[in-house]
């Protein structure tokens, strides 16, 4: 593959790709953007998505197959509105799709839908996962029988409304010198349908071993968690939101703490940036999105892939957005 990013689904708007290798192929699980006509605001009301398509590829350079609609908001028994970034995990012959969706009280919860095939269809459960909140679930299969979900997002993602896994009476942002609001990590139950424990904060430390602060906008977590492993280390990557970068931090285990390392992707066209990192056929890839094809309309994003490279010391070479 050339070092130039390529667009994957030119005929439609897709964003927030979560990518896994299932049955020897690359499977892509994106958000399905659409023109809703809802004005842009800090709550993200303009991201009013109603379904998910699943895509697959035999090769990162190759043709992209659209497997069609895998889940619709209208089929989720507890649905309010807005299907945002999803992910899919495999265990014991079944595929589990995890999706954030607002309930009828306009609160984001994380739901599960179950399928027999990586492309779905996925059948949603009656209720959201107990104790779930906020957005952007990303699941790591740790290879030892455990699956860990990373989740959370600020502003429209509602993470500022929770502390210690309890809803606050009103949203609270820390002062600039205080520790930043962290993403969350939780081990999933053996049946993959619930949390096996209380979610824990994903703490990101600076070079001096101090948690990144809320005022450190160039480095602190905002949304779009992803986890992969490389060289025996855990790489937690995420978007910084209003500074529009994909950054990463590394640690020794799935819970962290993680130490900030650098920028993976500089800002792209559009407000949001969101990605996944995957190894396939001996190479590494960054799947992401931008709003260039829609002329910068930030709610109409297009899927991209580009090769990702490591330095000999395990750091990731920065990709220009
Ligand atoms: O697609 C809606 C939201 O935009 C996602 O959940 C965020 O990560 C951002 O990409």
């Amino acid at each position: 593959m050339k070092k130039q990013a390529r667009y994957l689904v030119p005929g439609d708007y897709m964003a927030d790709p979560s990518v896994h290798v299932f049955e020897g192929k690359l499977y892509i699980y994106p958000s399905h953007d659409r023109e809703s006509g809802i004005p842009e605001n800090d709550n993200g009301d303009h991201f009013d998505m109603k379904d998910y398509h699943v895509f697959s590829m035999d090769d990162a350079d190759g043709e992209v197959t659209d497997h069609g609609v895998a889940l619709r908001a209208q089929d989720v028994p507890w649905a309010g509105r807005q299907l945002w970034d999803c992910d899919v995990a495999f265990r014991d012959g079944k595929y589990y799709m995890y999706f954030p969706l607002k309930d009828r009280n306009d609160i984001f919860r994380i739901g599960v839908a179950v399928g027999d095939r990586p492309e779905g269809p996925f059948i949603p459960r009656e209720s959201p996962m107990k104790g779930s909140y906020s957005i952007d679930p990303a699941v790591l299969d740790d290879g030892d029988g455990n699956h860990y979900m990373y989740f959370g997002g600020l502003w429209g993602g509602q993470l500022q409304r929770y502390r210690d896994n309890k809803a606050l009476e009103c949203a609270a942002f820390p002062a600039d010198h205080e520790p930043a609001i962290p993403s969350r990590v939780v081990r999933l139950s053996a049946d993959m349908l619930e949390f096996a424990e209380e979610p824990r904060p994903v703490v990101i430390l600076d070079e001096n071993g101090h948690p990144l602060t809320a005022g450190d906008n160039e480095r602190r977590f905002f949304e779009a968690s992803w986890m992969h492993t490389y060289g025996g280390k855990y790489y937690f990557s995420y978007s910084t939101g209003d500074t529009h970068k994909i950054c990463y931090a590394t640690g020794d285990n799935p819970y962290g703490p993680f130490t900030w390392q650098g920028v993976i992707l500089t800002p792209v066209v559009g407000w949001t940036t969101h990605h996944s990192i995957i190894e396939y056929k001996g190479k590494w890839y960054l799947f992401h999105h931008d709003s260039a094809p829609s002329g910068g309309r930030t709610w109409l994003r297009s899927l991209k892939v580009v090769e990702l490279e490591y330095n000999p010391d395990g750091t990731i070479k920065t990709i220009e957005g």
Side-chain angles (χ1 to χ4, degrees):
M1 152 167 281
K2 293 190 283 299
K3 297 284 180 315
Q4 190 88 23
R6 85 160 166 132
Y7 287 104
L8 294 171
V9 187
D12 206 343
Y13 294 113
M14 301 279 164
D16 308 329
S18 294
V19 181
H20 295 278
V21 179
F22 294 132
E23 300 184 343
K25 292 185 189 190
L26 285 167
Y27 276 88
I28 311 171
Y29 302 94
S31 304
H32 186 189
D33 285 357
R34 69 183 195 99
E35 182 58 85
S36 66
I38 297 174
E40 197 174 341
N41 61 27
D42 281 353
N43 281 335
D45 285 343
H46 45 302
F47 296 111
D48 189 35
M49 295 85 100
K50 292 183 178 301
D51 64 25
Y52 296 117
H53 281 233
V54 176
F55 299 87
S56 69
M57 295 195 287
D58 289 314
D59 212 293
D61 272 335
E63 208 179 305
V64 179
T65 302
D66 181 355
H67 295 278
V69 175
L71 180 71
R72 290 182 173 84
Q74 68 185 41
D75 296 330
V76 177
W78 51 274
R81 61 183 182 131
Q82 295 181 286
L83 277 177
W84 286 11
D85 158 62
C86 69
D87 197 8
V88 168
F90 172 77
R91 182 167 185 156
D92 297 337
K94 295 273 185 204
Y95 293 85
Y96 298 87
M97 174 177 266
Y98 300 94
F99 58 92
L101 176 67
K102 283 182 180 163
D103 65 15
R104 291 183 189 127
N105 295 316
D106 241 16
I107 305 295
F108 268 118
R109 307 290 306 275
I110 297 172
V112 194
V114 186
D116 294 322
R117 300 279 316 143
E119 68 271 23
F122 296 97
I123 309 301
R125 309 250 307 154
E126 276 301 308
S127 312
M129 298 175 87
K130 286 193 263 319
S132 67
Y133 55 93
S134 199
I135 60 166
D136 288 0
V139 177
L140 171 76
D141 177 350
D142 204 21
D144 62 353
N146 289 312
H147 290 78
Y148 297 90
M149 180 187 288
Y150 299 83
F151 67 93
L154 299 182
W155 296 12
Q158 303 180 344
L159 191 58
Q160 66 280 4
R161 299 188 187 179
Y162 297 85
R163 181 143 321 142
D164 299 330
N165 301 318
K166 306 234 171 10
L168 301 170
E169 280 194 15
C170 54
F173 287 96
D176 279 0
H177 66 278
E178 292 179 333
I181 296 176
S183 175
R184 310 289 203 263
V185 53
V186 63
R187 189 167 53 82
L188 297 179
S189 57
D191 65 7
M192 302 290 276
L193 301 176
E194 299 289 352
F195 294 169
E197 58 187 3
E198 286 277 303
R200 308 181 195 188
V202 176
V203 176
I204 303 174
L205 305 173
D206 66 14
E207 57 283 6
N208 300 313
H210 302 306
L212 294 184
T213 57
D216 192 348
N217 293 23
E218 299 291 327
R219 298 194 294 178
R220 54 98 186 95
F221 171 80
F222 186 94
E223 63 184 2
S225 297
W226 186 256
M227 176 60 78
H228 75 278
T229 57
Y230 176 79
K233 290 261 183 212
Y234 290 78
Y235 285 63
F236 175 69
S237 50
Y238 57 95
S239 161
T240 59
D242 57 354
T243 52
H244 317 287
K245 293 174 183 163
I246 299 291
C247 289
Y248 74 108
T250 58
D252 296 327
N253 69 80
Y255 292 114
F258 302 93
T259 302
W260 193 86
Q261 299 292 339
V263 175
I264 296 174
L265 180 66
T266 62
V268 296
V269 175
W271 200 94
T272 70
T273 185
H274 194 128
H275 69 298
S276 56
I277 295 169
I278 185 90
E279 184 182 21
Y280 187 60
K281 296 186 178 174
K283 290 187 172 182
W284 285 85
Y285 298 96
L286 178 79
F287 287 78
H288 57 295
H289 70 225
D290 71 27
S291 296
S294 72
R297 283 175 292 169
T298 206
W299 59 96
L300 295 178
R301 300 161 293 180
S302 295
L303 278 192
K304 298 173 89 172
V305 63
V306 67
E307 198 175 329
L308 174 144
E309 292 175 307
Y310 297 88
N311 295 306
D313 64 358
T315 53
I316 294 175
K317 293 187 182 174
T318 301
I319 295 166
E320 297 299 324

